[in-house]
Amino acid sequence: MIEFLSLKDVNAEYAVQLKEACARVIDSGWYVQGVELATFEKRFAQMCGVKHCLGVANGLDALSLTLRAWKILGKLQEGDEVIVPANTYIASILAVTENGLTPVLVEPDEKTLNISPALVRAAITPRTKVIIPVHLYGQLADMQEIQDIAAEHKLLVLEDAAQAHLASIDATPAGSWGDAGAFSFYPGKNLGALGDAGAVTTNDDELADVIKALRNYGSHKKYENIYPGVNSRLDEIQAAMLSVKLNYLQSNTGSRRVVADVYMKGINNPLITLPLDKKTSALTLESHVWHLFVIRCEARDELHQYLANAGVQTLIHYPIPPHKQKAYSDWNSLSFPLTEKIHDQILSLPIGPTMSLADAKVVVDACNSFVGRG
């Protein structure tokens, strides 16, 4: 079986360094908010081209604490509207509702599956205060257009960059386009910890100062609490692990792009829609880092089973759109036709930095041999 992604294989490449980093932290006797965190934050901020990186417990907290900080700073208030993609992972929306804000769901662009700038513009009301573009599957949203819309209407922009580490447009990286960026370092991400972890990136000194306190019980100084904060700290061991893996992010991204290029050039089954135009080279496309390689097929479930029978593991990201989840039962009657069609058709092929070209070609051949019931 060709695994969708083997985290064991991914981490085996630098297992010695990871163990050394872990031992270093154990021997230091300092496990929270120490040198390892400060070192990783500085390096990741530099990679993203921003002044500040603030490590937090996970990607959801990165989103939620940013919105919470803006409320504290008086930039948001209860009930304000936040525009989010209808086809995102539910975390993007959980962060909004958790803060007493109102999500406004917007359909994506059918070619990129990222949020449609034209529909963002159409969704703006006097209550709109924030746009959350999600760089879905590792491809940057149309950030120049979104930034122009935000500037015109004086809106905040919070990038959900959980899947887009190192993606960029015109050498401007994910996490540096908006007023803030939220990253996840969940183990399966392109830059993954060995547990949960996340970070906020920003050039805003005031925002960074508030988030730094919020993540630590609302405190800058021990036992002095200036905000009703939370415990959302990126611990020293995970920070040390991430520092090791950050050394390999560039080369691992290159490996993903090679696999994606094999898929883009090799898959020619008319029943399968590729994520980009075949004329676009995945090797040179800086805006996409291929966290996932997501195809579309009207006979998705049949293709999913066919590939499994051929020894290819595939996953669905994601089978149920947020507005159809029980968690948001009040929205279940809403209709987002494109989003619903996408969720019924998408299928993620195996991709990762340790995947061999031989395995990639097996996947291509299996996709091309699929004929469906017809």
Side-chain angles (χ1 to χ4, degrees):
M1 172 69 74
I2 297 175
E3 287 187 74
F4 179 78
L5 175 68
S6 171
L7 293 180
K8 183 177 179 180
D9 289 348
V10 168
N11 290 317
E13 300 223 338
Y14 15 83
V16 172
Q17 295 174 64
L18 291 172
K19 291 173 184 177
E20 289 173 348
C22 187
R24 184 174 68 244
V25 175
I26 293 171
D27 292 344
S28 76
W30 193 286
Y31 308 121
V32 178
Q33 291 193 302
V35 172
E36 298 291 348
L37 175 62
T39 299
F40 173 72
E41 288 178 331
K42 181 178 180 180
R43 292 184 62 201
F44 194 72
Q46 290 172 340
M47 189 198 83
C48 294
V50 295
K51 291 167 63 177
H52 304 284
C53 167
L54 304 150
V56 295
N58 52 67
L60 173 57
D61 282 2
L63 291 165
S64 182
L65 290 179
T66 302
L67 295 171
R68 187 168 179 168
W70 279 334
K71 288 183 74 176
I72 287 171
L73 290 168
K75 296 184 178 183
L76 296 178
Q77 59 185 1
E78 202 88 0
D80 281 346
E81 293 178 351
V82 180
I83 294 176
V84 290
N87 64 315
T88 186
Y89 180 60
I90 198 169
S92 311
I93 295 169
L94 289 172
V96 177
T97 56
E98 180 181 312
N99 279 285
L101 303 169
T102 303
V104 176
L105 306 184
V106 167
E107 292 264 55
D109 175 277
E110 188 161 12
K111 289 184 178 179
T112 66
L113 306 190
N114 277 327
I115 195 166
S116 164
L119 295 180
V120 167
R121 185 181 291 278
I124 293 171
T125 75
R127 295 177 61 200
T128 305
K129 293 296 185 291
V130 185
I131 305 171
I132 300 183
V134 179
H135 306 317
L136 201 60
Y137 308 141
Q139 182 177 22
L140 282 185
D142 187 347
M143 288 309 299
Q144 189 57 68
E145 183 66 22
I146 289 169
Q147 286 296 108
D148 289 346
I149 294 169
E152 180 184 341
H153 294 275
K154 297 182 173 57
L155 305 178
L156 295 163
V157 175
L158 171 55
E159 297 174 68
D160 185 334
Q163 302 182 1
H165 316 74
L166 217 60
S168 63
I169 297 175
D170 296 332
T172 302
S176 66
W177 282 90
D179 297 279
F183 287 86
S184 168
F185 305 121
Y186 182 77
K189 302 298 186 185
N190 290 24
L191 178 61
L194 273 70
D196 277 317
V200 178
T201 55
T202 186
N203 285 312
D204 186 330
D205 296 341
E206 193 176 27
L207 176 65
D209 189 66
V210 174
I211 293 174
K212 190 175 290 188
L214 282 176
R215 71 180 179 182
N216 186 40
Y217 298 99
S219 172
H220 285 304
K221 185 178 180 181
K222 196 169 186 177
Y223 304 130
E224 294 183 13
N225 307 83
I226 52 179
Y227 310 117
V230 298
N231 178 7
S232 180
R233 300 178 297 205
L234 173 55
D235 68 68
E236 288 289 279
I237 284 183
Q238 295 302 342
M241 301 289 186
L242 287 167
S243 287
V244 170
K245 298 181 77 172
L246 191 59
N247 296 327
Y248 300 91
L249 182 58
Q250 188 79 49
S251 60
N252 285 348
T253 301
S255 297
R256 287 175 175 275
R257 284 174 169 158
V258 169
V259 173
D261 204 49
V262 171
Y263 289 164
M264 288 298 301
K265 291 176 177 175
I267 297 174
N268 53 29
N269 190 327
L271 299 176
I272 293 174
T273 301
L274 293 168
L276 296 172
D277 189 292
K278 285 181 74 73
K279 296 178 182 177
T280 305
S281 170
L283 292 171
T284 58
L285 188 72
E286 63 172 353
S287 71
H288 209 320
V289 293
W290 300 106
H291 171 58
L292 299 170
F293 191 98
V294 180
I295 60 174
R296 289 172 59 188
C297 178
E298 290 186 9
R300 189 269 310 282
D301 293 342
E302 189 181 352
L303 175 60
H304 177 62
Q305 186 59 55
Y306 178 84
L307 292 175
N309 294 341
V312 177
Q313 182 186 26
T314 58
L315 299 178
I316 300 169
H317 298 90
Y318 304 96
I320 305 173
H323 71 283
K324 294 298 184 182
Q325 297 283 359
K326 289 183 180 179
Y328 293 110
S329 57
D330 289 350
W331 299 350
N332 288 173
S333 62
L334 297 179
S335 175
F336 294 94
L338 178 55
T339 289
E340 290 158 22
K341 182 171 77 169
I342 288 169
H343 282 258
D344 287 342
Q345 293 182 355
I346 51 177
L347 189 66
S348 300
L349 300 182
I351 193 166
T354 61
M355 188 174 184
S356 70
L357 292 184
D359 280 350
K361 289 173 182 174
V362 169
V363 175
V364 168
D365 291 342
C367 286
N368 286 340
S369 65
F370 175 70
V371 295
R373 293 190 181 91

